[in-house]
Amino acid sequence: MTPKNTSVDAKGYNNLDLHPQDEKFMRLALKQAQKAEQLGEVPIGAIIVDKSGKIISKSTNLRETKLTTLGHAELVAIHRACKKLNSWRLIDCTLYVTLEPCFMCAGALVQSRISRVVYGAADPKGGALESLSQLGNDPRLNHRFNVTAGVLAEESTALLKNFFKKKRSK
Amino acid sequence: MTPKNTSVDAKGYNNLDLHPQDEKFMRLALKQAQKAEQLGEVPIGAIIVDKSGKIISKSTNLRETKLTTLGHAELVAIHRACKKLNSWRLIDCTLYVTLEPCFMCAGALVQSRISRVVYGAADPKGGALESLSQLGNDPRLNHRFNVTAGVLAEESTALLKNFFKKKRSK
């Protein structure tokens, strides 16, 4: 599907382009989400890519497996990328995540000084990049990043719906 | 000093009481902040206490030492508390932190299902519990917690001011 750039535009984001490799990288994030499901985790996946297009970290959601609040896929991917780069700053990097990040993860992306975030499905109840807040473009904060929304959103939503449907039928 | 409950009240928080042990626990958080300074870190400290008043985790700010975006004192204390309780939920726990948490840390506190947060100095440029947002009392989110602000705020501010003054003079 095409990204929902019009809705993002209305929120004031300044980079609405779908980059040539976005779908490829989002497919890899979806693979991570599928791994989460095998672990009994809510299927969400994330990967981080540097400016040359090299993948520097990836993670599934690991909250139940690792029993930590910090187990969201985005936070684990950020931490692993920091270890790889030996820096708490992820300058010129892009994070791909299958679901719109929550306040914790969106706040971490601001703190990380990341350049760009691409997400799949919107999260109307908890998303902090578009749905409940626009933390990627908040003029009060000391860092902003570009956001592209809606990349392979239907695949991400299908994974989540299927997971919760199976869970309810157990 | 007495907590600035009036300003918090205006934001809609529902627990404005200073509990008998709040100053004692905030002094321990300040001790953690002093440790951060010895490491060359911005002096911020946090501790987490369970409902019986037992300290279950503590941390200084470790962002430069550990070179990770997730090195803020609150996140490290949350992660350590999860490991101690073997759970990603910190139900019936209270976090004490010397500076108002940012969006990342405030979002993590929502995710952790913590019961109460007590902080020292306000952070007008980045604080997400009172200054820029009121994440502890956001009716759109699936968890809310009580917030008490301004406990030993002057001591916390003095530590921070002194740190940045020394840094500038180097």
Side-chain angles (χ1 to χ4, degrees):
Chain A
M1 70 172 283
T2 50
K4 287 189 298 180
N5 282 343
T6 46
S7 70
V8 179
D9 194 13
K11 305 283 184 174
Y13 289 120
N14 58 1
N15 180 349
L16 307 175
D17 296 332
L18 188 67
H19 294 204
Q21 295 199 303
D22 283 350
E23 283 206 9
K24 180 187 96 176
F25 287 129
M26 189 60 81
R27 290 218 178 278
L28 295 173
L30 282 164
K31 268 201 175 173
Q32 290 295 312
Q34 285 159 344
K35 276 195 191 179
E37 198 179 4
Q38 289 158 18
L39 297 165
E41 301 274 3
V42 178
I44 301 165
I47 70 166
I48 295 177
V49 175
D50 72 10
K51 70 174 169 184
S52 74
K54 192 177 148 200
I55 294 168
I56 55 171
S57 73
K58 47 191 178 180
S59 185
T60 78
N61 175 24
L62 290 170
R63 191 169 67 168
E64 302 292 343
T65 309
K66 298 276 189 189
L67 291 171
T68 174
T69 306
L70 313 190
H72 284 198
E74 300 96 310
L75 284 203
V76 181
I78 288 169
H79 183 67
R80 289 176 179 170
C82 290
K83 294 287 128 187
K84 191 83 162 262
L85 299 179
N86 215 25
S87 168
W88 60 262
R89 292 179 189 86
L90 304 179
I91 292 164
D92 292 333
C93 292
T94 298
L95 175 125
Y96 293 83
V97 59
T98 56
L99 184 69
E100 185 185 0
C102 71
F103 276 103
M104 169 176 75
C105 295
L109 290 161
V110 174
Q111 291 292 337
S112 78
R113 316 287 197 267
I114 209 156
S115 294
R116 185 172 176 243
V117 173
V118 181
Y119 69 84
D123 181 1
K125 288 184 183 174
L129 290 188
E130 181 181 12
S131 298
L132 303 184
S133 188
Q134 296 78 46
L135 279 194
N137 187 34
D138 189 323
R140 304 169 303 173
L141 300 178
N142 65 351
H143 178 71
R144 300 183 213 179
F145 49 79
N146 297 319
V147 175
T148 300
V151 177
L152 302 181
E154 284 160 11
E155 283 87 333
S156 168
T157 303
L159 265 180
L160 288 162
K161 278 195 176 163
N162 192 40
F163 174 81
F164 287 113
K165 195 178 160 190
K166 273 189 200 162
K167 216 174 174 183
R168 277 193 302 271
S169 68
K170 268 182 192 169
Chain B
M1 70 174 283
T2 48
K4 288 189 294 181
N5 283 345
T6 46
S7 69
V8 180
D9 195 12
K11 305 283 186 174
Y13 288 120
N14 58 0
N15 180 350
L16 306 175
D17 295 333
L18 189 67
H19 294 205
Q21 295 199 303
D22 283 351
E23 283 206 9
K24 180 187 98 177
F25 288 129
M26 189 59 81
R27 290 219 178 276
L28 295 173
L30 282 163
K31 267 201 175 172
Q32 289 296 312
Q34 285 160 344
K35 275 194 189 179
E37 197 178 4
Q38 289 158 17
L39 296 166
E41 301 273 3
V42 178
I44 301 165
I47 70 164
I48 295 177
V49 175
D50 72 11
K51 69 175 170 184
S52 73
K54 192 177 148 200
I55 295 167
I56 54 171
S57 73
K58 48 190 178 180
S59 184
T60 77
N61 174 24
L62 290 170
R63 191 168 67 169
E64 301 292 343
T65 309
K66 299 275 189 190
L67 291 172
T68 174
T69 306
L70 313 189
H72 285 199
E74 300 96 311
L75 284 202
V76 180
I78 288 170
H79 183 66
R80 288 176 180 171
C82 289
K83 294 287 129 189
K84 191 83 162 262
L85 299 178
N86 215 26
S87 168
W88 61 262
R89 293 178 188 87
L90 303 179
I91 292 164
D92 292 333
C93 291
T94 297
L95 175 127
Y96 293 84
V97 59
T98 56
L99 183 69
E100 184 184 1
C102 71
F103 275 102
M104 170 176 74
C105 295
L109 290 161
V110 173
Q111 292 291 338
S112 78
R113 316 288 197 266
I114 208 155
S115 294
R116 185 171 177 244
V117 173
V118 181
Y119 69 83
D123 181 1
K125 288 184 182 172
L129 291 187
E130 181 181 11
S131 299
L132 303 185
S133 188
Q134 296 77 47
L135 278 195
N137 187 32
D138 190 324
R140 304 170 303 172
L141 300 178
N142 65 351
H143 178 72
R144 301 183 212 179
F145 50 79
N146 298 320
V147 175
T148 300
V151 177
L152 302 180
E154 284 160 10
E155 284 87 332
S156 169
T157 304
L159 265 181
L160 288 163
K161 277 196 177 162
N162 193 40
F163 174 81
F164 287 113
K165 195 178 159 188
K166 273 189 199 162
K167 215 174 172 183
R168 276 193 301 270
S169 68
K170 268 180 191 169

